[in-house]
Amino acid sequence: MLMLVLLAVGIFWLYRFNTALKATPEEARKFSPKRWTQEQLKEAYEHAQKHPIDFSKHVPPAQKRRYIIVGGSGLVGGDIVLHLLSRGQPPSSIRILDFAPLSRDDMLSSPAVTCDFVKTDITSAPSVTSAFSKPWPPSVSHLPLTVFHTAALIRPQDRHPLLYPLVSNVNLTGTLNILTTASQPHHNCDIFIATSSASVSILPPKFFPYYPWQSHPQSYFQLCNESDFSLPLRPHNKFFANYAVSKAAAERAICAANTPSFRTGCLRPGNAIYGQKTDPLVGNILRQGSYVAYVPQVIQSFISSQNVSLAHLQFEAALLPSSPTPPPCAGRPFVITDSGPPITFRDMALACETLSDAPFTYSELPPIVIHAIAHVMEFWSLLLARFPTLTKLGLKEPSGPIGMLQPAVLNVGIHSVVDDSNAKKGVGEGGIGYTPVVSTLEGIVRQIAEFNRDVRAGRVEGVKLREGIKEKVGMVGEEVRVVA
Ligand SMILES: *[C@@H]1O[C@H](CO)[C@@H](O)[C@H](O)[C@H]1NC(C)=O
Ligand SMILES: *[C@@H]1O[C@H](CO)[C@@H](O)[C@H](O)[C@H]1NC(C)=O
Ligand SMILES: CC(=O)N[C@H]1CO[C@H](CO)[C@@H](O)[C@@H]1O
């Protein structure tokens, strides 16, 4: 009898917990009351096809300066390079520091290939020093230097201090190497801007204990702003993952280095960055052609990598040494996001399902199953970290999307909305004059349109057109999407 009662209580608890995890807190819904529809997506897609955006109109004017972009082969760094070129900075004034060579199609087919590229391991101080010390062409060598530091190693799945060195090497030691080198006066660097993350401010929600009368777990909705920056650094377990710990520490070091002659600042894009076929989110699921959503109903702010890049350039414009005293935006972080309302992961999946020309399947699992898998995966990865000899027996760290599914990812998979009102203020009012012109709807739809063009052109390895999609060539250079 007692067993039956316990069983019933257990089932009831699981049922309530599952329902609570699916809940959307009212505060979150207020920010994004409407879900995307197929009609809306198709309309936005058509609009995007007909109205390409000229980014060069939005970026601040060219400067007589030199540029070092650390992580310049990547998502945000690559966009910064392209935006700098589009506003007329000569390639000779741009140097890319990255571990990986250029690989983005849009970079390989642009003057970016003529920018100086220095293969750099930022975890090694000598490697960074030699990348900075390499001589510049005489036409630019006398100009002041701006450094954009965008390189990061993202392992959102780790939260245990045992695994901290995996991210802190690049994200903290690497950042300090760049900061120390850049601040040496002979490099003539007076502006240093780094990419941080809106997730720095996220506190792990309280999933346990869960009481059956709670409509959702505690702290299931959070606003991301910069208010944590003025408080002492939180202890490790008050961050969603090791990644955010390392980002927060790096941010503090960069902002503390701010002086009138070496002006610094950090940008916290939030939450997910999309924009390239190689990005870990939209690009990744388009290429994979399938997506199991871990937190389908969760409302989050997204940001296009192009808007992230734009914010870096606007921050630079704000920090230009036109006056001897730095503006109030110097030496602090700003959160930034797309314009328009935040979206859910299910919205993103619907966009891919509706618009991708490649095969795409979408599925969801009950949240308690997701949580159970996450704890098993974490147990597994910690077991291997504690007993490395197990790896010699051929046991491996869980990889792929399932390896990412650990409790830390669920810590950040909460309803979170970015409040970028500080960044949007004018420079005189303490902001950087951030102006995202396009919403997440337009941004994601444009990315899918580009992906479709790449698939048609055979530029996405291993991805073919979906059955039922025919190719039809319209006006010169323009492809028209036809669904049979
Ligand atoms: C900033 O975010 C925190 C955490 O969500 C919140 O408590 C605080 O009220 C926010 N501050 C402002 C000015 O919105
Ligand atoms: C913001 O991102 C969207 C999506 O990529 C883009 O269309 C828009 O032009 C960006 N805004 C600016 C000012 O570059
Ligand atoms: C880009 C880079 O330097 N990545 C390194 C970050 O740290 C990890 C672990 O220490 C290395 O495996 C990466 O190569």
Side-chain angles (χ1 to χ4, degrees):
M1 186 59 198
L2 182 67
M3 289 302 276
L4 274 182
V5 171
L6 284 181
L7 188 70
V9 169
I11 291 176
F12 177 69
W13 184 88
L14 282 176
Y15 166 77
R16 284 294 305 158
F17 188 44
N18 197 56
T19 313
L21 290 171
K22 280 188 176 172
T24 300
E26 212 31 59
E27 307 103 292
R29 200 187 305 276
K30 268 201 321 238
F31 282 98
S32 180
K34 290 204 187 113
R35 304 285 40 95
W36 287 353
T37 64
Q38 292 197 307
E39 291 69 49
Q40 180 188 18
L41 286 163
K42 285 180 188 156
E43 224 169 84
Y45 188 91
E46 244 165 67
H47 181 88
Q49 299 278 68
K50 288 193 197 122
H51 303 92
I53 294 177
D54 180 3
F55 298 108
S56 59
K57 282 204 196 116
H58 299 291
V59 301
Q63 298 295 328
K64 287 205 164 21
R65 300 179 65 84
R66 288 174 298 138
Y67 290 88
I68 284 186
I69 297 95
V70 184
S73 304
L75 184 61
V76 171
D79 281 339
I80 293 179
V81 172
L82 293 175
H83 281 169
L84 286 172
L85 291 166
S86 78
R87 78 182 190 185
Q89 299 297 155
S92 59
S93 68
I94 301 175
R95 178 175 295 169
I96 297 171
L97 269 51
D98 207 305
F99 202 66
L102 296 194
S103 61
R104 289 171 46 165
D105 294 332
D106 54 351
M107 296 188 84
L108 292 175
S109 60
S110 82
V113 291
T114 62
C115 295
D116 193 15
F117 175 89
V118 186
K119 183 176 157 104
T120 313
D121 173 5
I122 64 170
T123 62
S124 141
S127 172
V128 173
T129 306
S130 78
F132 270 74
S133 304
K134 189 178 169 195
W136 289 76
S139 57
V140 296
S141 58
H142 60 288
L143 297 175
L145 173 70
T146 295
V147 172
F148 290 115
H149 171 34
T150 67
L153 183 73
I154 309 183
R155 286 181 57 100
Q157 70 270 41
D158 301 338
R159 59 177 177 173
H160 198 282
L162 188 63
L163 305 173
Y164 187 56
L166 289 183
V167 288
S168 69
N169 252 355
V170 177
N171 302 326
L172 185 55
T173 315
T175 297
L176 296 179
N177 284 340
I178 299 165
L179 187 65
T180 314
T181 309
S183 62
Q184 287 162 357
H186 64 277
H187 290 304
N188 198 9
C189 169
D190 54 4
I191 299 184
F192 186 102
I193 296 166
T195 322
S196 183
S197 165
S199 67
V200 163
S201 78
I202 292 206
L203 299 166
K206 219 169 171 180
F207 289 121
F208 304 106
Y210 168 74
Y211 302 108
W213 51 86
Q214 285 174 258
S215 59
H216 53 76
Q218 220 180 51
S219 311
Y220 209 28
F221 167 76
Q222 292 177 36
L223 212 54
C224 295
N225 55 34
E226 307 91 357
S227 60
D228 60 293
F229 183 72
S230 51
L231 303 171
L233 204 56
R234 313 193 295 281
H236 196 111
N237 65 353
K238 295 282 187 238
F239 286 90
F240 94 87
N242 294 353
Y243 167 70
V245 179
S246 71
K247 280 299 199 187
E251 207 179 59
R252 301 252 166 163
I254 292 164
C255 294
N258 176 56
T259 65
S261 58
F262 184 71
R263 303 179 175 189
T264 67
C266 293
L267 287 162
R268 298 178 171 182
N271 279 296
I273 307 182
Y274 62 89
Q276 276 290 318
K277 53 173 189 266
T278 46
D279 78 37
L281 192 70
V282 181
N284 185 44
I285 67 173
L286 283 171
R287 270 181 299 122
Q288 298 293 326
S290 71
Y291 175 49
V292 183
Y294 299 156
V295 286
Q297 84 297 350
V298 154
I299 292 178
Q300 285 202 358
S301 302
F302 277 49
I303 182 161
S304 146
S305 59
Q306 286 171 318
N307 286 330
V308 182
S309 162
L310 175 76
H312 282 71
L313 297 177
Q314 290 176 330
F315 208 157
E316 184 205 24
L319 291 179
L320 287 175
S322 44
S323 92
T325 39
C329 60
R332 56 160 293 178
F334 286 94
V335 285
I336 46 166
T337 189
D338 277 344
S339 59
I343 65 168
T344 66
F345 289 88
R346 200 181 277 141
D347 286 338
M348 172 184 76
L350 183 72
C352 297
E353 203 174 30
T354 309
L355 302 174
S356 173
D357 283 351
F360 189 84
T361 58
Y362 172 64
S363 46
E364 295 179 4
L365 290 170
I368 48 170
V369 174
I370 293 285
H371 275 248
I373 298 175
H375 284 278
V376 172
M377 287 298 154
E378 183 176 55
F379 175 79
W380 180 246
S381 90
L382 284 178
L383 190 71
L384 291 184
R386 286 211 175 94
F387 305 103
T389 36
L390 288 176
T391 52
K392 296 210 185 86
L393 302 175
L395 300 180
K396 280 206 198 81
E397 210 193 359
S399 64
I402 190 96
M404 288 275 223
L405 178 48
Q406 295 191 24
V409 169
L410 300 176
N411 278 344
V412 80
I414 58 167
H415 301 272
S416 57
V417 172
V418 165
D419 172 12
D420 57 5
S421 47
N422 285 327
K424 283 177 172 157
K425 286 180 194 159
V427 177
E429 285 77 56
I432 61 166
Y434 172 56
T435 51
V437 294
V438 178
S439 63
T440 304
L441 172 65
E442 289 161 296
I444 289 189
V445 157
R446 274 173 206 278
Q447 177 172 354
I448 300 175
E450 269 164 40
F451 174 79
N452 287 344
R453 273 194 288 275
D454 283 343
V455 172
R456 276 157 204 277
R459 285 194 296 257
V460 194
E461 219 180 287
V463 177
K464 290 208 188 65
L465 280 181
R466 199 197 282 227
E467 235 171 275
I469 302 273
K470 285 202 214 95
E471 222 174 301
K472 193 173 119 196
V473 179
M475 287 177 300
V476 190
E478 201 183 281
E479 284 141 333
V480 183
R481 185 169 187 279
V482 188
V483 183

